[in-house]
Amino acid sequence: MQKITLPRPDDWHLHLRDGAIMAAVLPHTAQRFGRAIVMPNLRPPVTTTRQATAYRERILAARPKGSRFRPLMTLYLTENTTPREITLAKQSGHVQAVKLYPAGATTHSEAGVRDITKVHAVLEAMAEQEIPLLVHGEVTDPQIDIFDREKVFIDQILSPLLERLPRLRVVFEHITTREAADFVRESSNDIAATITVHHLLLNRNAMLAGGIQPHHYCLPVPKRETHRHALIAAATSGSPRFFLGTDSAPHTRHTKESGCGCAGIYTAHAAIELYAELFEQAGALDRLAEFASGFGADFYRLPRNTDTITLIKESWNVPQHYPLGIAGALVPLRAGKPVSWRIANA
Ligand code: NCD
Ligand code: ZN
């Protein structure tokens, strides 16, 4: 039987939500990952260090017994965020980054930024204090085709921003296009990108062909097959600029299977297993450890994990759904279907 042991991976982009949903999903992440960068798009959003600290306490309290999982917190950037808040974030020691959601770009992004020039002073403070900016890299202009929004974001927002603030450290989150992978690889700035496992596994046909597949719908939307190939090439390239971020995003079944379905794919139940499957198919299993357990910690200037996890090549079937307590249930990626790797020492 094939077996691989990796330093324990970290998830550099994760949605945990709060309350009953958090309690239901957190064990999946805590079983696999040492740390996770926790997204701040709650309702209301986590905009202050004070709120992030309280949210962190709730996450710590919801961990399964004996778990050593550590949540790494982020702030939600708004046009009212102050440079002072950045100082507080830095001083706290547990806020690692600030997230830019262009207003209207995705789930719970209404409080996000409409005009990037309004947050210039805050971004300057972040550059000075070396707090990374995490970007949801899509423009929201309704004139721009949804499949082009990431590419246009690079040209209209990200490139000019990096020119204005060359010292700002940036993570281009959940990249979905060849253009984004090329941009990150070739940039002279200190930038990196996370790549989700669903964007490595699915193209837009998986979302739209043979009937609409709401459980394959997320933002940024999966693109055509050539882009998926570019993402696989980036993830398996050995470049330290690309690392694991699942963007696992729990939504209840009824909000996804709806006349206006929510964006977000749930992968936390099998995240590292699915990445292993993909890296194996790409003939790059030997590159998984750095992508999953090395490069992200290096970028965030945190120590790498010293404990390990072992994966065994043995197929198991994903349940049709996972209960979310009083919130209902969610349909995970691969529901009812096999995953070819499993964790040995969960
Ligand atoms: C995320 C969510 O549900 O919070 N949804 C998604 O499709 N990825 C938000 C996000 O990261 O865009
Ligand atoms: Zn996300």
Side-chain angles (χ1 to χ4, degrees):
M1 201 180 335
Q2 212 183 332
K3 232 184 190 185
I4 49 169
T5 296
L6 312 170
R8 185 173 292 280
D10 300 302
D11 185 349
W12 300 101
H13 182 126
L14 175 68
H15 298 271
L16 283 176
R17 316 301 190 206
D18 213 340
I21 297 185
M22 174 169 76
V25 301
L26 181 58
H28 287 152
T29 292
Q31 250 185 352
R32 292 164 177 81
F33 295 98
R35 296 165 288 195
I37 285 278
V38 180
M39 288 297 126
N41 63 334
L42 303 183
R43 260 192 180 137
V46 179
T47 56
T48 65
T49 298
R50 204 189 160 92
Q51 288 169 321
T53 304
Y55 185 28
R56 177 171 178 271
E57 292 301 320
R58 297 197 295 281
I59 299 168
L60 290 173
R63 288 181 304 180
K65 230 187 167 74
S67 168
R68 287 162 49 203
F69 170 76
R70 276 163 298 152
L72 307 174
M73 307 314 290
T74 60
L75 298 188
Y76 187 120
L77 182 63
T78 76
E79 292 181 6
N80 299 318
T81 306
T82 61
R84 164 89 185 131
E85 198 60 57
I86 301 305
T87 305
L88 292 176
K90 187 75 184 182
Q91 283 168 355
S92 77
H94 53 250
V95 174
Q96 299 294 338
V98 175
K99 178 72 188 269
L100 165 67
Y101 289 103
T106 187
T107 306
H108 303 171
S109 64
E110 308 77 18
V113 173
R114 267 160 234 286
D115 176 359
I116 188 92
T117 62
K118 297 234 171 86
V119 294
H120 189 77
V122 176
L123 297 178
E124 238 169 10
M126 288 168 57
E128 240 160 62
Q129 306 202 37
E130 303 189 330
I131 296 210
L133 178 72
L134 315 183
V135 298
H136 183 108
E138 289 191 289
V139 292
T140 54
D141 181 348
Q143 303 291 331
I144 308 292
D145 188 275
I146 192 153
F147 290 102
D148 298 332
R149 288 181 182 185
E150 185 171 278
K151 176 179 160 3
V152 174
F153 180 88
I154 298 171
D155 301 337
Q156 289 186 358
I157 310 283
L158 189 54
S159 292
L161 177 68
L162 291 169
E163 252 166 58
R164 272 202 313 279
L165 290 167
R167 282 168 52 227
L168 185 65
R169 310 186 71 230
V170 171
V171 183
F172 197 160
E173 299 286 352
H174 43 51
I175 58 168
T176 62
T177 57
R178 173 181 299 280
E179 288 82 0
D182 290 348
F183 181 82
V184 169
R185 187 184 317 101
E186 289 157 19
S187 172
S188 54
N189 294 78
D190 192 2
I191 77 170
T194 52
I195 306 182
T196 76
V197 77
H198 49 272
H199 288 113
L200 291 169
L201 290 167
L202 309 174
N203 62 25
R204 64 195 196 179
N205 281 8
M207 177 176 64
L208 294 170
I212 195 158
Q213 309 286 325
H215 299 293
H216 290 166
Y217 172 61
C218 64
L219 286 166
V221 279
K223 307 295 190 297
R224 60 168 69 240
E225 184 67 357
T226 49
H227 293 288
R228 191 178 75 90
H229 280 289
L231 299 180
I232 295 172
T236 60
S237 67
S239 162
R241 290 193 163 186
F242 300 103
F243 46 81
L244 184 156
T246 64
D247 194 19
S248 180
H251 288 274
T252 58
R253 170 180 219 143
H254 72 273
T255 57
K256 299 262 322 153
E257 297 175 7
S258 142
C260 181
C262 291
I265 298 181
Y266 187 75
T267 53
H269 63 297
I272 191 64
E273 299 91 321
L274 290 167
Y275 279 107
E277 220 184 82
L278 188 281
F279 272 66
E280 184 189 23
Q281 277 163 22
L285 214 40
D286 58 327
R287 298 260 165 101
L288 180 62
E290 291 285 35
F291 176 80
S293 322
F295 298 148
D298 298 350
F299 182 86
Y300 278 91
R301 299 176 178 161
L302 293 168
R304 295 183 175 200
N305 293 325
T306 50
D307 61 333
T308 60
I309 60 163
T310 296
L311 297 169
I312 298 179
K313 180 120 187 248
E314 197 175 80
S315 178
W316 59 285
N317 273 353
V318 173
Q320 293 288 357
H321 65 266
Y322 288 106
L324 292 176
I326 53 164
L330 69 75
V331 178
L333 189 65
R334 285 277 169 89
K337 301 211 178 92
V339 171
S340 57
W341 290 83
R342 71 172 179 84
I343 25 179
N345 53 342

